[in-house]
Amino acid sequence: MSSPIDIDTLPYFNPKIDRRVAIITGGNSGIGFYTVLNLYLHGYVVYIASRSKSRCLKSIKELEYRASQIKLLDQGHPQHSISNLSATSVSGEVNECSLGEVHYLEMDLSNLQSIINAVETFKLKERYLHLLINNAGAMALPYTKTIDDFEIQLQTNFISPFLLTLKLLPILERTSDAFPHIEPRPRVIYLSSFGHQFAFRYFNLKTALDYRPNFILTWIRYGIAKTAGIHFMKMLALRNPKVLCISVHPGLVMNTNVFAYWTNLPIVGIIFWCVFQIFAWVLGVTSEQGALEVIRSSLNPQFSVEENNGKYFGSQGKELQPSKVANNMDYAARTWIWTVHELSKRGFIIPGA
């Protein structure tokens, strides 16, 4: 890749002429909210996969309102770049026909059957899929098992995105075959984290790590889950060359609800809140800024399967190197085999995997 792409140059589409469809998990808050706002303004038909219909519909109303305000401001002050607006961090000129659509798609990442149901629902609504953003995640939670008998962070950050992506992969490949010359190419984006580094010198998906002190081990469990997600993108890139699969680190976004468990604890929650606020002030980025990094990777027409598949990107769309554990292809192959086996034991068969 050459120089970092200017956010103002990313393409806009008219959904009545060129229907571009995206699915994003957890698109009703944080980075996901602003990612959806950007996609909506760029003309994408966006399905927000979320377990709470009421919260999602409320977010959709807020998205539509913000988009209308941005359009009015852009029409009244065409000399001003929208990317300079701190309240929205949305770029480029928004013309009358560019707004897309936003829809709710029921999905609970802590329930694998819910993912299967969501995919079947999506198939009834759309024939093609151009973009899948695995955005939703869980961080630093106490040790908990899901209904599918996976540790909660492992399932939310890795197992569920794995199953969702592979179930949607035939649609992504069909889109690639049907429109061989479209740009940007169909792609899968996995939101990674600096926290994947917490899996240093240790990677074993078979070990529960249900020990004390939980405050330490929860971060290692988180690191293992995020490392597995990077492994997944690398393996998927090798196995499925028709679709661009990349990991994106959006920056240290500290002001989202992912720390809610710790900040809500009695007494010590105040300490955690202060620590997170200090980190956010010194090293963090806003949700709006983090979303722009996701959009750069999602819509960058310079990215290609030949040059960028399986890679890891960060600030300004620059390629980064993940940890040695995350880069280890032997580990990646073991991650793939273990996950397919565990899913098959639970009755979720993935043909060809």
Side-chain angles (χ1 to χ4, degrees):
M1 182 178 161
S2 54
S3 59
I5 190 168
D6 183 351
I7 198 74
D8 292 322
T9 67
L10 295 174
Y12 285 80
F13 303 97
N14 184 335
K16 296 180 181 178
I17 300 172
D18 188 2
R19 188 177 180 85
R20 301 296 180 103
V21 182
I23 294 177
I24 178 171
T25 59
N28 57 301
S29 64
I31 291 178
F33 177 89
Y34 291 100
T35 301
V36 174
L37 180 58
N38 275 274
L39 291 172
Y40 178 55
L41 286 163
H42 279 266
Y44 270 73
V45 178
V46 185
Y47 286 82
I48 300 178
S50 173
R51 63 183 177 182
S52 174
K53 185 175 182 178
S54 60
R55 286 200 299 267
C56 190
L57 293 181
K58 182 179 179 180
S59 294
I60 290 174
K61 288 183 178 180
E62 175 69 14
L63 285 162
E64 292 173 343
Y65 172 76
R66 291 205 184 197
S68 65
Q69 294 301 107
I70 291 167
K71 283 184 64 178
L72 288 174
L73 183 58
D74 185 58
Q75 291 166 2
H77 303 278
Q79 72 277 18
H80 294 159
S81 171
I82 294 178
S83 60
N84 293 326
L85 300 178
S86 60
T88 59
S89 296
V90 180
S91 65
E93 179 184 355
V94 183
N95 60 48
E96 185 177 354
C97 299
S98 66
L99 290 181
E101 304 170 12
V102 187
H103 304 284
Y104 168 66
L105 181 65
E106 183 177 2
M107 184 187 300
D108 182 356
L109 295 183
S110 65
N111 185 333
L112 296 180
Q113 186 57 50
S114 171
I115 294 173
I116 302 300
N117 296 342
V119 171
E120 293 305 312
T121 299
F122 177 78
K123 288 179 179 180
L124 296 176
K125 297 177 180 293
E126 303 287 347
R127 177 169 173 77
Y128 299 111
L129 177 63
H130 301 81
L131 177 63
L132 170 61
I133 303 178
N134 288 304
N135 164 77
M139 178 186 288
L141 295 177
Y143 187 88
T144 308
K145 286 290 191 73
T146 68
I147 192 175
D148 301 296
D149 199 36
F150 288 114
E151 191 271 327
I152 183 66
Q153 291 188 95
L154 183 64
Q155 178 160 334
T156 305
N157 294 308
F158 168 58
I159 301 290
S160 290
F162 185 99
L163 180 62
L164 174 63
T165 302
L166 291 186
K167 288 298 182 180
L168 289 171
L169 190 60
I171 308 176
L172 286 158
E173 291 181 329
R174 179 199 303 153
T175 306
S176 182
D177 290 337
F179 308 101
H181 303 298
I182 66 168
E183 294 296 343
R185 302 295 300 153
R187 60 192 62 181
V188 177
I189 307 294
Y190 176 79
L191 257 69
S192 185
S193 166
F194 174 81
H196 84 273
Q197 303 276 354
F198 299 148
F200 59 94
R201 294 190 180 183
Y202 178 90
F203 189 80
N204 187 347
L205 292 173
K206 300 178 182 179
T207 303
L209 289 180
D210 182 17
Y211 313 119
R212 294 183 181 275
N214 181 65
F215 178 67
I216 300 298
L217 291 179
T218 186
W219 295 102
I220 299 179
R221 293 195 297 268
Y222 175 74
I224 290 173
K226 283 298 185 179
T227 295
I230 298 173
H231 286 166
F232 175 43
M233 288 295 98
K234 289 183 174 295
M235 288 297 296
L236 195 61
L238 288 177
R239 297 170 62 94
N240 302 86
K242 293 181 181 181
V243 178
L244 177 60
C245 307
I246 58 179
S247 301
V248 177
H249 175 29
L252 294 173
V253 181
M254 306 293 293
N255 58 342
T256 66
N257 58 5
V258 293
F259 300 104
Y261 171 78
W262 298 103
T263 56
N264 288 332
L265 289 175
I267 303 176
V268 294
I270 299 175
I271 300 175
F272 286 126
W273 185 88
C274 292
V275 170
F276 294 146
Q277 289 300 313
I278 293 172
F279 268 93
W281 183 67
V282 176
L283 300 172
V285 300
T286 65
S287 295
E288 298 97 312
Q289 291 169 329
L292 289 182
E293 301 303 340
V294 180
I295 290 296
R296 283 190 177 95
S297 296
S298 299
L299 303 186
N300 189 345
Q302 298 176 10
F303 280 1
S304 68
V305 172
E306 295 76 17
E307 296 293 329
N308 305 108
N309 221 3
K311 292 185 177 180
Y312 182 87
F313 293 92
S315 177
Q316 298 295 314
K318 295 180 181 178
E319 182 182 351
L320 303 176
Q321 288 299 317
S323 70
K324 290 183 179 180
V325 175
N327 248 343
N328 189 309
M329 292 307 294
D330 286 337
Y331 280 147
R334 294 179 203 172
T335 295
W336 182 283
I337 294 170
W338 180 87
T339 309
V340 171
H341 177 67
E342 290 298 316
L343 286 173
S344 66
K345 282 169 53 178
R346 293 160 172 81
F348 299 98
I349 308 300
I350 302 172

